[in-house]
Amino acid sequence: MRALVSPLRQLLPLLATTFLAGCGSVGGGQGLNLGPDQTSLSGSYLQGRFAAQDFDIPRAEEAFVDVARRLPGPAGSRTAFIYALASGSSADAEQQARVVIATDEGEPQDDFGVQRDLPRLTLAAVAMRDGDPEQAITLLSEDDLSSSLSRSLAVLLRSAALYESKGTDAALAALSEQESGTFNALVPQHVAMMMVVDGQASRAETMFRRALGGARADIAALGYARFLEDEGRADEADDIYVRMAQDAGLFTRAGRMGRVRTGSLEEQSREFRRASTRAPRLADDGYDLFALALENYAWLGFEQAMQTPRGDRFAVERRRSALVVPLALSNLAREVDGDRAVANYLSALIVSMFDNPEDALEMASAVKPSSWLYEYARLEVADSVRQAGDANDAVQSLRQDLKRDPGSPQMALQLHGYLLQAERYDEAEDAADMAIAAAEALDVMPSSLWRYYFARGAGRIEADVWEGGRDDLERALELASDEPIILNHLGYSYVERGLQLERAFGMIERALDIDPNNGAIVDSLGWAHFQQGNFDAAIVQLERAVELEPADAVITDHLGDAYYAVGRERDARYEWQRVMTLEDADEELLAEVAAKLGGDTSGVLPPAEREGS
């Protein structure tokens, strides 16, 4: 799947550069030779460039579409198209896609993979939206697509369109024609869903069993469980739903809803039971199959983009670049059917990473209570509200959701986090209790249950309730003895209090053995040495932590303090000054660092090293 996202790290600057070159040739001169309307046109172009650099997708789309309208050409239209599609502006994306396809004849092929084929994929999705699968089939000819990844996606899309227009045999024939060497791990799932729609139970089950070992196996499991349920095999379906609920992850709600329908989960709210009975199947026709294929490819691209390594100040930009095509594919699924839960949720998740909480809120709010993703969509709604600056409204949103569904451990856990940030410790404790009770009612597996005890324990320690916090963290460690975040947090908590020092340092070092490139854990080890007055050892670890996380304000501040402790005041001031430029520095830290830079270093050293202590 690397072809889906790796070229995207170059995509945005490349598009802008290509467009600039195109503008330079318009009048036969060099640079932006734009004629009598030069000021406003070049202004729109520059606005687009600046917006693209900030990953302000809607503003970049508006600017580049304006330029493309007044200065037609393939480079401008392609740039305008990609931003229109990513921002969800379907009318502009469709218009620019038609221009790109019409003007792309004879254009040299590049090596940027699926993004070059997005205009054709877009028009195929528009055709399906408009109820014209024949036109979609025409647009999805393999001969017109640039990359093997695009062709593998197009095979699924063309098969879905053929199923809708010509029937099962034509759809299956299209799948059998897929070229060797292309990505085909989603074909069994696609066929299984098609057989369910077609009413061929035996073939559906055979393909589901193959799909459970392939890509997006979790979606295949969800489809298989619903198939078993509809076939009257409730016990077998319930086995799958129980595991989903116990995992306490993205599919928890799906498991809970399935268990309500099979009768194995009682004592749920009336609203939740009603939603469970109304839950739709993953696909009911060829249009759903078409959208499902787009969602699956979008999700795979999203997962790979999220694996973009951290470790330098440009990691966020690389990740955002890698998310553009997954966002585009997700938006295409929304174009086919605006009610698609996965597409709405995934698009919301991505645009929130582009610091666009308003659009994220709109997309996440489109996910209905009958969806298995509703719970996580509501978490995204609350987070979008919080990002917009309304922390109290975010808390209230989650409280209302929990009244409707008190059996959700995830929503209670997120409410705990919000209340903790607001230093509303008693309320946070209540929310954590609620989360643990809900998780234990689902018999959540230890591999997930530890998170709930860890969260309550960390909150208790922050609220200065040491014994209760320690007990929760020890309980979390019993449940997941090799989880680095527990080892790190518990170990450092002991070091900070001068307790069980040998065991505590061992915990942090064990966490580092498991996750050696985790800058936060390296920082903990360095800061633990600092708290014990072992300044030289602290500097060794903190310098490495800053190498791993150069944009982390707290780690940078720690290194500055360690330098100051050994008399390297110039180096300390450099690190403190750098803290003032980092985006993740909160107001409290900025005030503390400003005081140090102003000469008040009374709180820099550990208590044991301060004068008069």
Side-chain angles (χ1 to χ4, degrees), residues 222 241 244-245 250-259 261 372:
L222 183 57
Y241 290 138
M244 287 180 176
L250 195 65
F251 287 80
T252 301
R253 184 179 176 89
R256 292 172 61 215
M257 295 175 89
R259 291 188 64 189
R261 292 194 301 271
W372 61 275

Side-chain angles (χ1 to χ4, degrees), residues 145-162:
L145 298 171
S146 301
S147 74
S148 62
L149 184 65
S150 300
R151 291 191 288 274
S152 69
L153 171 58
V155 166
L156 298 184
L157 299 179
R158 189 165 60 250
S159 169
L162 281 164

